[in-house]
Amino acid sequence: MNEYVPGLAGVPATKSNISSIDGEKGILAYRGYDIAELAANSTFEETALLLLNGELPTSKELESFDRQLRGERRVKYNVREIMKYLPPSGRPMEMLQTAISSLGMFYGGDDILTDAYEEEDTYFIHSMSVKIIARMATIVAMWEHVRNGYDPIEPRSDLTHAENFLYMMKGCDPDPLEVRIMDACLVLHAEHTINASTFTAMVTGSTLAMPFLVIAAAIGALAGPLHGGANQRVVEMLDEIGRPENVEDWLDMRLADKEVIWGMGHREYKTKDPRATVLQKLMADYAEKKGNLSPMFETALALEEACEKVLGVKGVYPNVDYYSGILYTEMGLPADQFTPIFAVARIAGWMAHWREQLDNNRIFRPTQIYTGAAPRAYVPIDKR
Ligand code: COA
Protein backbone atom coordinates (compact mmCIF):
# COMPACT_ATOMS: atom_id res chain seq x y z
CA MET A 1 0.00 0.00 0.00
CA ASN A 2 2.94 2.29 -0.80
CA GLU A 3 1.58 3.71 -4.02
CA TYR A 4 1.89 7.47 -4.26
CA VAL A 5 -1.31 9.28 -5.29
CA PRO A 6 -0.64 12.90 -6.35
CA GLY A 7 -2.81 15.31 -4.40
CA LEU A 8 -3.99 12.31 -2.31
CA ALA A 9 -6.93 12.13 -4.74
CA GLY A 10 -9.39 9.55 -3.49
CA VAL A 11 -7.25 8.63 -0.46
CA PRO A 12 -9.34 8.70 2.76
CA ALA A 13 -7.56 10.87 5.34
CA THR A 14 -10.06 10.35 8.14
CA LYS A 15 -13.46 9.00 9.13
CA SER A 16 -15.93 11.85 9.46
CA ASN A 17 -19.67 12.25 9.97
CA ILE A 18 -19.84 16.01 9.35
CA SER A 19 -20.62 16.26 5.63
CA SER A 20 -20.82 14.10 2.52
CA ILE A 21 -20.53 14.56 -1.23
CA ASP A 22 -21.99 12.46 -4.04
CA GLY A 23 -19.85 13.73 -6.89
CA GLU A 24 -21.68 11.78 -9.59
CA LYS A 25 -25.15 13.00 -8.62
CA GLY A 26 -23.98 16.46 -7.49
CA ILE A 27 -25.22 16.21 -3.91
CA LEU A 28 -23.72 17.84 -0.82
CA ALA A 29 -25.19 17.23 2.64
CA TYR A 30 -24.26 18.52 6.08
CA ARG A 31 -24.95 15.85 8.72
CA GLY A 32 -27.34 14.24 6.22
CA TYR A 33 -29.27 17.42 5.32
CA ASP A 34 -29.19 18.46 1.66
CA ILE A 35 -27.39 21.75 1.09
CA ALA A 36 -30.16 23.19 -1.10
CA GLU A 37 -32.69 22.62 1.69
CA LEU A 38 -30.40 24.20 4.26
CA ALA A 39 -29.72 27.21 2.03
CA ALA A 40 -33.45 27.73 1.55
CA ASN A 41 -34.58 27.19 5.14
CA SER A 42 -31.71 27.51 7.60
CA THR A 43 -29.56 30.35 8.89
CA PHE A 44 -25.81 30.49 9.38
CA GLU A 45 -26.22 30.25 13.16
CA GLU A 46 -28.40 27.13 12.93
CA THR A 47 -26.16 25.51 10.31
CA ALA A 48 -23.04 26.22 12.37
CA LEU A 49 -24.60 24.54 15.40
CA LEU A 50 -25.70 21.60 13.25
CA LEU A 51 -22.10 21.21 12.06
CA LEU A 52 -20.63 21.58 15.54
CA ASN A 53 -23.04 19.31 17.40
CA GLY A 54 -24.37 16.91 14.78
CA GLU A 55 -28.11 17.64 15.10
CA LEU A 56 -30.44 20.48 14.15
CA PRO A 57 -30.83 22.49 17.36
CA THR A 58 -34.05 22.99 19.31
CA SER A 59 -35.19 26.60 19.50
CA LYS A 60 -33.78 26.85 23.04
CA GLU A 61 -30.37 25.54 21.95
CA LEU A 62 -30.31 27.87 18.96
CA GLU A 63 -31.31 30.86 21.08
CA SER A 64 -28.49 30.14 23.51
CA PHE A 65 -25.89 29.69 20.73
CA ASP A 66 -27.09 32.86 19.01
CA ARG A 67 -26.77 34.77 22.29
CA GLN A 68 -23.24 33.44 22.77
CA LEU A 69 -22.22 34.50 19.25
CA ARG A 70 -23.70 37.98 19.69
CA GLY A 71 -21.80 38.33 22.97
CA GLU A 72 -18.45 37.39 21.41
CA ARG A 73 -18.35 39.77 18.44
CA ARG A 74 -16.06 42.43 19.86
CA VAL A 75 -12.28 42.12 19.55
CA LYS A 76 -9.66 43.59 21.88
CA TYR A 77 -8.36 47.01 20.90
CA ASN A 78 -4.80 45.57 20.74
CA VAL A 79 -5.90 43.49 17.75
CA ARG A 80 -7.39 46.60 16.14
CA GLU A 81 -4.06 48.38 16.75
CA ILE A 82 -2.16 45.52 15.07
CA MET A 83 -4.51 45.80 12.09
CA LYS A 84 -3.89 49.56 11.86
CA TYR A 85 -0.17 48.95 11.40
CA LEU A 86 -0.64 46.56 8.48
CA PRO A 87 -0.24 48.07 5.00
CA PRO A 88 -3.69 49.07 3.64
CA SER A 89 -2.74 47.78 0.20
CA GLY A 90 -1.87 44.31 1.57
CA ARG A 91 -3.89 41.20 0.83
CA PRO A 92 -6.80 40.75 3.28
CA MET A 93 -6.07 37.02 3.76
CA GLU A 94 -2.66 37.82 5.27
CA MET A 95 -4.37 40.37 7.51
CA LEU A 96 -6.95 37.78 8.53
CA GLN A 97 -4.33 35.18 9.36
CA THR A 98 -2.36 37.73 11.39
CA ALA A 99 -5.40 38.98 13.31
CA ILE A 100 -6.71 35.49 14.08
CA SER A 101 -3.26 34.33 15.30
CA SER A 102 -2.94 37.44 17.44
CA LEU A 103 -6.29 36.69 19.13
CA GLY A 104 -4.72 33.51 20.45
CA MET A 105 -2.33 35.61 22.55
CA PHE A 106 -5.26 36.47 24.84
CA TYR A 107 -6.38 32.95 25.73
CA GLY A 108 -4.87 30.06 27.65
CA GLY A 109 -6.05 26.47 27.58
CA ASP A 110 -3.03 24.58 26.26
CA ASP A 111 -3.15 22.42 29.39
CA ILE A 112 -6.83 21.58 28.77
CA LEU A 113 -6.00 20.32 25.30
CA THR A 114 -3.15 18.15 26.48
CA ASP A 115 -4.37 16.43 29.62
CA ALA A 116 -7.83 17.38 30.75
CA TYR A 117 -11.05 15.62 31.60
CA GLU A 118 -13.66 15.02 28.95
CA GLU A 119 -16.15 17.60 30.26
CA GLU A 120 -13.62 20.38 30.44
CA ASP A 121 -12.53 19.56 26.90
CA THR A 122 -16.04 19.86 25.50
CA TYR A 123 -16.65 23.20 27.22
CA PHE A 124 -13.29 24.57 26.05
CA ILE A 125 -13.76 23.40 22.47
CA HIS A 126 -17.26 24.89 22.29
CA SER A 127 -16.32 28.23 23.83
CA MET A 128 -13.28 28.60 21.57
CA SER A 129 -15.44 27.71 18.55
CA VAL A 130 -17.95 30.43 19.46
CA LYS A 131 -15.21 33.02 19.97
CA ILE A 132 -13.54 32.32 16.64
CA ILE A 133 -16.76 31.98 14.59
CA ALA A 134 -18.07 35.30 15.97
CA ARG A 135 -14.82 37.22 15.60
CA MET A 136 -13.95 35.99 12.11
CA ALA A 137 -16.84 38.08 10.72
CA THR A 138 -15.91 41.06 12.89
CA ILE A 139 -12.28 41.08 11.74
CA VAL A 140 -13.10 40.81 8.03
CA ALA A 141 -15.59 43.69 8.31
CA MET A 142 -13.23 45.78 10.49
CA TRP A 143 -10.53 45.59 7.84
CA GLU A 144 -12.79 47.24 5.30
CA HIS A 145 -12.71 50.44 7.39
CA VAL A 146 -9.23 50.18 8.90
CA ARG A 147 -7.59 49.87 5.49
CA ASN A 148 -9.46 52.95 4.30
CA GLY A 149 -8.15 54.95 7.24
CA TYR A 150 -11.26 54.89 9.43
CA ASP A 151 -12.05 53.42 12.81
CA PRO A 152 -13.94 50.15 12.42
CA ILE A 153 -17.67 50.09 13.00
CA GLU A 154 -18.58 48.49 16.31
CA PRO A 155 -20.56 45.23 16.09
CA ARG A 156 -24.22 45.30 17.16
CA SER A 157 -25.71 42.62 19.37
CA ASP A 158 -29.30 43.24 18.17
CA LEU A 159 -28.52 41.85 14.69
CA THR A 160 -28.18 38.32 13.34
CA HIS A 161 -24.76 37.10 12.18
CA ALA A 162 -25.43 37.92 8.51
CA GLU A 163 -27.11 41.25 9.33
CA ASN A 164 -24.28 42.33 11.60
CA PHE A 165 -21.63 41.34 9.07
CA LEU A 166 -23.24 43.40 6.30
CA TYR A 167 -23.88 46.28 8.72
CA MET A 168 -20.23 46.31 9.79
CA MET A 169 -19.00 46.03 6.19
CA LYS A 170 -21.20 48.76 4.77
CA GLY A 171 -21.83 50.98 7.77
CA CYS A 172 -25.61 51.19 7.28
CA ASP A 173 -28.67 49.11 8.06
CA PRO A 174 -28.52 46.19 5.65
CA ASP A 175 -31.10 45.53 2.97
CA PRO A 176 -33.25 42.49 4.02
CA LEU A 177 -32.88 40.85 0.60
CA GLU A 178 -29.09 41.16 0.77
CA VAL A 179 -29.16 39.75 4.31
CA ARG A 180 -31.07 36.71 3.09
CA ILE A 181 -28.59 36.22 0.24
CA MET A 182 -25.61 36.62 2.55
CA ASP A 183 -27.08 34.17 5.04
CA ALA A 184 -27.61 31.60 2.25
CA CYS A 185 -24.04 32.18 1.01
CA LEU A 186 -22.67 31.61 4.51
CA VAL A 187 -24.67 28.37 4.79
CA LEU A 188 -23.47 27.19 1.36
CA HIS A 189 -19.79 27.85 2.15
CA ALA A 190 -19.81 26.59 5.75
CA GLU A 191 -18.46 23.08 5.14
CA HIS A 192 -17.19 20.80 2.39
CA THR A 193 -15.65 17.54 3.65
CA ILE A 194 -11.86 17.15 3.65
CA ASN A 195 -10.77 19.95 1.34
CA ALA A 196 -7.28 21.53 1.47
CA SER A 197 -8.02 24.06 4.23
CA THR A 198 -10.03 21.64 6.37
CA PHE A 199 -7.31 19.04 6.05
CA THR A 200 -4.78 21.71 7.07
CA ALA A 201 -6.90 22.48 10.15
CA MET A 202 -7.07 18.77 11.00
CA VAL A 203 -3.32 18.25 10.62
CA THR A 204 -2.57 21.30 12.76
CA GLY A 205 -5.24 20.32 15.30
CA SER A 206 -3.78 16.82 15.53
CA THR A 207 -0.60 18.29 17.04
CA LEU A 208 -2.79 19.76 19.85
CA ALA A 209 -1.94 23.29 18.72
CA MET A 210 -4.25 26.00 20.06
CA PRO A 211 -7.39 26.66 17.97
CA PHE A 212 -6.32 30.13 16.78
CA LEU A 213 -3.24 28.58 15.19
CA VAL A 214 -5.31 25.73 13.79
CA ILE A 215 -7.52 28.30 12.06
CA ALA A 216 -4.61 30.53 11.03
CA ALA A 217 -3.13 27.52 9.22
CA ALA A 218 -6.45 26.81 7.52
CA ILE A 219 -6.72 30.45 6.41
CA GLY A 220 -3.33 30.10 4.71
CA ALA A 221 -4.54 27.06 2.76
CA LEU A 222 -7.82 28.72 1.81
CA ALA A 223 -6.01 31.76 0.37
CA GLY A 224 -4.64 30.01 -2.74
CA PRO A 225 -6.37 30.48 -6.12
CA LEU A 226 -6.88 26.73 -6.54
CA HIS A 227 -9.03 26.79 -3.37
CA GLY A 228 -10.85 29.77 -1.82
CA GLY A 229 -9.02 32.39 -3.87
CA ALA A 230 -10.82 31.32 -7.05
CA ASN A 231 -13.92 33.49 -6.46
CA GLN A 232 -11.92 36.70 -6.82
CA ARG A 233 -10.23 35.35 -9.97
CA VAL A 234 -13.66 34.57 -11.46
CA VAL A 235 -14.75 38.19 -11.23
CA GLU A 236 -11.44 39.44 -12.65
CA MET A 237 -11.80 36.90 -15.49
CA LEU A 238 -15.38 38.00 -16.28
CA ASP A 239 -14.26 41.65 -16.23
CA GLU A 240 -11.52 40.76 -18.70
CA ILE A 241 -14.02 39.01 -21.02
CA GLY A 242 -16.32 42.02 -20.81
CA ARG A 243 -19.39 40.94 -22.80
CA PRO A 244 -21.16 37.64 -23.62
CA GLU A 245 -20.28 38.01 -27.32
CA ASN A 246 -16.54 37.88 -26.46
CA VAL A 247 -16.84 34.56 -24.67
CA GLU A 248 -16.15 32.10 -27.53
CA ASP A 249 -12.93 33.76 -28.74
CA TRP A 250 -11.67 34.34 -25.22
CA LEU A 251 -12.30 30.72 -24.25
CA ASP A 252 -10.53 29.36 -27.34
CA MET A 253 -7.48 31.48 -26.59
CA ARG A 254 -7.49 30.61 -22.92
CA LEU A 255 -7.68 26.87 -23.49
CA ALA A 256 -5.07 27.02 -26.27
CA ASP A 257 -2.74 28.63 -23.69
CA LYS A 258 -3.55 25.72 -21.34
CA GLU A 259 -4.86 28.10 -18.68
CA VAL A 260 -7.65 27.16 -16.28
CA ILE A 261 -11.08 28.72 -16.33
CA TRP A 262 -11.57 30.06 -12.82
CA GLY A 263 -14.57 28.74 -10.95
CA MET A 264 -14.74 25.61 -13.12
CA GLY A 265 -13.86 22.07 -12.09
CA HIS A 266 -13.72 20.25 -8.82
CA ARG A 267 -11.87 17.22 -7.56
CA GLU A 268 -15.05 15.77 -6.04
CA TYR A 269 -17.78 16.68 -8.54
CA LYS A 270 -18.16 15.35 -12.05
CA THR A 271 -21.36 17.39 -12.41
CA LYS A 272 -22.24 20.98 -11.60
CA ASP A 273 -21.47 21.75 -7.96
CA PRO A 274 -24.86 21.85 -6.18
CA ARG A 275 -23.79 25.06 -4.44
CA ALA A 276 -23.23 26.71 -7.82
CA THR A 277 -26.80 25.78 -8.79
CA VAL A 278 -28.21 27.47 -5.66
CA LEU A 279 -25.96 30.53 -6.05
CA GLN A 280 -26.93 30.92 -9.71
CA LYS A 281 -30.60 30.89 -8.74
CA LEU A 282 -29.98 33.41 -5.95
CA MET A 283 -28.22 35.66 -8.45
CA ALA A 284 -31.04 35.33 -11.01
CA ASP A 285 -33.67 36.16 -8.35
CA TYR A 286 -31.59 39.08 -7.07
CA ALA A 287 -31.19 40.49 -10.60
CA GLU A 288 -34.93 40.13 -11.20
CA LYS A 289 -35.80 41.91 -7.95
CA LYS A 290 -33.33 44.68 -8.75
CA GLY A 291 -34.83 44.91 -12.21
CA ASN A 292 -31.61 44.57 -14.20
CA LEU A 293 -29.56 41.60 -15.34
CA SER A 294 -25.94 42.42 -14.54
CA PRO A 295 -23.57 42.29 -17.55
CA MET A 296 -21.16 40.20 -15.47
CA PHE A 297 -23.89 37.62 -14.78
CA GLU A 298 -24.83 37.54 -18.47
CA THR A 299 -21.19 36.92 -19.39
CA ALA A 300 -20.95 34.19 -16.76
CA LEU A 301 -24.03 32.43 -18.16
CA ALA A 302 -22.58 32.57 -21.67
CA LEU A 303 -19.20 31.28 -20.46
CA GLU A 304 -20.82 28.40 -18.58
CA GLU A 305 -22.66 27.39 -21.76
CA ALA A 306 -19.50 27.60 -23.87
CA CYS A 307 -17.45 25.68 -21.28
CA GLU A 308 -20.01 22.90 -21.09
CA LYS A 309 -19.36 22.09 -24.76
CA VAL A 310 -15.59 21.74 -24.34
CA LEU A 311 -15.03 20.91 -20.67
CA GLY A 312 -18.20 18.95 -19.88
CA VAL A 313 -16.61 15.83 -21.37
CA LYS A 314 -13.91 16.03 -18.68
CA GLY A 315 -16.51 16.45 -15.95
CA VAL A 316 -15.55 20.11 -15.49
CA TYR A 317 -18.53 22.29 -14.53
CA PRO A 318 -19.05 25.42 -12.39
CA ASN A 319 -17.98 25.09 -8.78
CA VAL A 320 -19.04 27.14 -5.75
CA ASP A 321 -16.75 30.03 -6.68
CA TYR A 322 -18.25 30.61 -10.09
CA TYR A 323 -21.36 32.55 -9.04
CA SER A 324 -20.52 33.66 -5.48
CA GLY A 325 -18.19 36.48 -6.56
CA ILE A 326 -20.79 37.86 -8.97
CA LEU A 327 -23.37 37.99 -6.19
CA TYR A 328 -20.95 39.73 -3.85
CA THR A 329 -19.99 42.21 -6.57
CA GLU A 330 -23.66 43.04 -7.14
CA MET A 331 -24.00 43.56 -3.38
CA GLY A 332 -21.17 46.10 -3.50
CA LEU A 333 -18.57 43.99 -1.69
CA PRO A 334 -14.94 44.38 -2.84
CA ALA A 335 -13.37 41.52 -4.80
CA ASP A 336 -10.34 41.08 -2.55
CA GLN A 337 -12.67 40.42 0.40
CA PHE A 338 -14.43 37.46 -1.29
CA THR A 339 -11.99 34.89 0.06
CA PRO A 340 -12.07 36.34 3.60
CA ILE A 341 -15.90 36.14 3.35
CA PHE A 342 -15.45 32.47 2.41
CA ALA A 343 -13.51 32.11 5.69
CA VAL A 344 -16.33 33.85 7.62
CA ALA A 345 -18.52 30.91 6.53
CA ARG A 346 -16.02 28.02 6.45
CA ILE A 347 -14.96 28.69 10.03
CA ALA A 348 -18.04 26.67 11.10
CA GLY A 349 -16.80 23.57 9.26
CA TRP A 350 -13.20 24.06 10.39
CA MET A 351 -14.27 24.21 14.04
CA ALA A 352 -16.47 21.10 13.62
CA HIS A 353 -13.54 19.16 12.13
CA TRP A 354 -11.19 20.43 14.86
CA ARG A 355 -13.59 19.02 17.45
CA GLU A 356 -14.00 15.74 15.57
CA GLN A 357 -10.22 15.42 15.26
CA LEU A 358 -9.71 15.94 18.99
CA ASP A 359 -12.46 13.44 19.82
CA ASN A 360 -10.33 10.67 18.39
CA ASN A 361 -6.93 12.17 17.92
CA ARG A 362 -3.81 10.67 16.44
CA ILE A 363 -1.14 13.01 15.08
CA PHE A 364 -0.96 13.05 11.27
CA ARG A 365 2.34 11.63 10.11
CA PRO A 366 2.14 10.23 6.57
CA THR A 367 5.07 8.63 4.85
CA GLN A 368 6.85 9.40 1.59
CA ILE A 369 8.51 7.63 -1.30
CA TYR A 370 12.10 8.82 -1.24
CA THR A 371 13.46 9.73 -4.68
CA GLY A 372 16.72 11.43 -3.66
CA ALA A 373 20.40 10.52 -3.77
CA ALA A 374 21.78 7.27 -2.33
CA PRO A 375 23.95 7.60 0.82
CA ARG A 376 27.20 9.42 -0.01
CA ALA A 377 30.20 10.99 1.74
CA TYR A 378 30.26 14.68 2.64
CA VAL A 379 32.45 16.68 0.23
CA PRO A 380 34.46 19.57 1.78
CA ILE A 381 33.69 22.91 0.13
CA ASP A 382 37.13 23.28 -1.49
CA LYS A 383 36.68 19.91 -3.24
CA ARG A 384 33.33 20.66 -4.94
N1 COA B 1 -10.31 24.94 -16.68
C1 COA B 1 -9.85 24.20 -17.71
N2 COA B 1 -9.57 22.89 -17.63
C2 COA B 1 -9.78 22.31 -16.44
C3 COA B 1 -10.24 23.01 -15.33
C4 COA B 1 -10.51 24.38 -15.48
N3 COA B 1 -10.95 25.12 -14.45
N4 COA B 1 -10.34 22.17 -14.27
C5 COA B 1 -9.94 20.97 -14.71
N5 COA B 1 -9.60 21.05 -16.03
C6 COA B 1 -9.12 19.95 -16.87
C7 COA B 1 -7.64 19.67 -16.59
O1 COA B 1 -6.82 20.47 -17.43
C8 COA B 1 -7.54 18.21 -16.89
O2 COA B 1 -7.51 18.07 -18.30
P1 COA B 1 -6.62 16.91 -18.98
O3 COA B 1 -7.19 15.61 -18.46
O4 COA B 1 -6.83 17.11 -20.44
O5 COA B 1 -5.20 17.15 -18.52
C9 COA B 1 -8.89 17.66 -16.41
O6 COA B 1 -9.80 18.77 -16.48
C10 COA B 1 -8.86 17.13 -14.99
O7 COA B 1 -8.44 18.18 -14.13
P2 COA B 1 -7.46 18.03 -12.88
O8 COA B 1 -6.49 19.18 -12.87
O9 COA B 1 -6.88 16.66 -12.84
O10 COA B 1 -8.46 18.18 -11.67
P3 COA B 1 -8.05 18.33 -10.15
O11 COA B 1 -9.03 17.54 -9.41
O12 COA B 1 -6.61 18.03 -9.92
O13 COA B 1 -8.21 19.89 -9.89
C11 COA B 1 -9.21 21.97 -9.48
C12 COA B 1 -9.36 20.45 -9.41
C13 COA B 1 -10.33 22.62 -8.71
C14 COA B 1 -7.86 22.40 -8.82
C15 COA B 1 -9.22 22.41 -10.96
O14 COA B 1 -10.45 22.04 -11.54
C16 COA B 1 -8.96 23.88 -11.12
O15 COA B 1 -7.82 24.33 -11.17
N6 COA B 1 -10.07 24.73 -11.20
C17 COA B 1 -9.93 26.14 -11.29
C18 COA B 1 -9.68 26.74 -9.92
C19 COA B 1 -10.95 26.79 -9.08
O16 COA B 1 -11.98 27.23 -9.54
N7 COA B 1 -10.81 26.37 -7.83
C20 COA B 1 -11.90 26.36 -6.86
C21 COA B 1 -12.28 24.96 -6.47
S1 COA B 1 -13.73 24.99 -5.43
Side-chain angles (χ1 to χ4, degrees):
M1 175 19 236
N2 267 350
E3 193 198 341
Y4 163 57
V5 182
L8 299 182
V11 177
T14 191
K15 286 183 175 178
S16 176
N17 54 27
I18 299 173
S19 64
S20 61
I21 295 172
D22 182 332
E24 298 298 327
K25 294 192 184 130
I27 297 173
L28 166 66
Y30 298 169
R31 304 280 191 187
Y33 296 101
D34 190 282
I35 190 65
E37 248 188 280
L38 289 172
N41 301 305
S42 187
T43 60
F44 175 72
E45 291 87 329
E46 184 182 65
T47 297
L49 202 50
L50 168 69
L51 291 169
L52 292 174
N53 289 351
E55 296 298 335
L56 282 173
T58 62
S59 51
K60 211 167 150 207
E61 287 163 344
L62 181 57
E63 216 176 280
S64 156
F65 181 63
D66 185 26
R67 203 172 36 246
Q68 292 165 27
L69 282 176
R70 288 174 195 238
E72 292 287 355
R73 283 181 183 153
R74 295 177 67 212
V75 301
K76 306 259 188 209
Y77 78 84
N78 313 52
V79 176
R80 188 179 60 203
E81 292 304 303
I82 290 170
M83 289 168 71
K84 280 185 183 166
Y85 283 100
L86 297 174
S89 57
R91 282 177 299 269
M93 285 300 272
E94 270 96 334
M95 174 288 300
L96 188 59
Q97 192 183 51
T98 305
I100 290 289
S101 304
S102 71
L103 277 181
M105 301 287 286
F106 296 96
Y107 301 98
D110 325 34
D111 49 332
I112 298 178
L113 279 182
T114 43
D115 53 23
Y117 301 103
E118 184 86 14
E119 245 174 63
E120 224 179 342
D121 269 356
T122 311
Y123 175 76
F124 176 74
I125 289 169
H126 180 78
S127 70
M128 287 293 137
S129 300
V130 170
K131 282 186 201 320
I132 305 178
I133 292 171
R135 287 177 175 79
M136 185 75 84
T138 303
I139 289 169
V140 171
M142 278 169 71
W143 182 241
E144 207 37 49
H145 302 279
V146 170
R147 71 171 169 176
N148 285 311
Y150 298 103
D151 276 326
I153 289 171
E154 285 294 311
R156 274 170 52 185
S157 59
D158 61 321
L159 301 177
T160 68
H161 199 71
E163 278 172 344
N164 180 63
F165 178 63
L166 284 178
Y167 162 73
M168 285 188 71
M169 283 291 287
K170 295 186 165 195
C172 56
D173 279 344
D175 171 64
L177 177 61
E178 290 186 0
V179 170
R180 184 58 212 130
I181 292 171
M182 178 52 70
D183 217 348
C185 288
L186 294 178
V187 168
L188 289 169
H189 287 82
E191 159 64 7
H192 206 231
T193 75
I194 312 301
N195 51 79
S197 59
T198 301
F199 186 46
T200 304
M202 287 162 53
V203 173
T204 314
S206 81
T207 69
L208 301 186
M210 284 290 279
F212 299 93
L213 293 176
V214 169
I215 298 310
I219 290 170
L222 185 70
L226 294 187
H227 190 10
N231 49 16
Q232 183 180 346
R233 303 286 176 116
V234 170
V235 166
E236 290 162 4
M237 174 185 79
L238 294 170
D239 263 342
E240 186 190 314
I241 299 173
R243 304 268 334 139
E245 50 271 29
N246 302 337
V247 157
E248 300 276 347
D249 288 347
W250 181 90
L251 183 62
D252 287 349
M253 250 165 41
R254 181 92 176 176
L255 293 179
D257 288 347
K258 303 235 169 298
E259 287 191 71
V260 294
I261 314 303
W262 298 110
M264 291 275 167
H266 200 284
R267 173 72 56 81
E268 293 290 317
Y269 297 108
K270 295 301 153 226
T271 56
K272 188 163 172 174
D273 183 331
R275 301 166 298 174
T277 307
V278 178
L279 287 164
Q280 181 180 350
K281 170 106 185 24
L282 281 171
M283 182 59 226
D285 292 349
Y286 186 44
E288 195 187 308
K289 291 210 173 95
K290 278 177 69 171
N292 60 327
L293 191 59
S294 95
M296 190 182 275
F297 185 43
E298 279 186 282
T299 307
L301 291 171
L303 181 61
E304 179 182 348
E305 205 182 318
C307 280
E308 191 167 347
K309 289 182 210 146
V310 281
L311 296 176
V313 282
K314 297 183 184 179
V316 175
Y317 292 95
N319 61 47
V320 68
D321 293 313
Y322 194 72
Y323 287 108
S324 61
I326 307 172
L327 260 172
Y328 296 151
T329 303
E330 290 301 313
M331 286 162 69
L333 301 172
D336 65 351
Q337 288 274 43
F338 296 169
T339 315
I341 294 171
F342 195 149
V344 169
R346 185 54 59 84
I347 183 61
W350 289 337
M351 300 305 333
H353 282 275
W354 176 58
R355 174 172 168 175
E356 190 176 66
Q357 181 63 38
L358 294 180
D359 276 349
N360 198 6
N361 191 43
R362 189 169 187 208
I363 188 169
F364 276 93
R365 195 2 174 146
T367 189
Q368 62 171 9
I369 294 171
Y370 178 64
T371 59
R376 46 186 168 164
Y378 176 79
V379 182
I381 198 158
D382 57 334
K383 300 263 162 54
R384 285 174 217 162

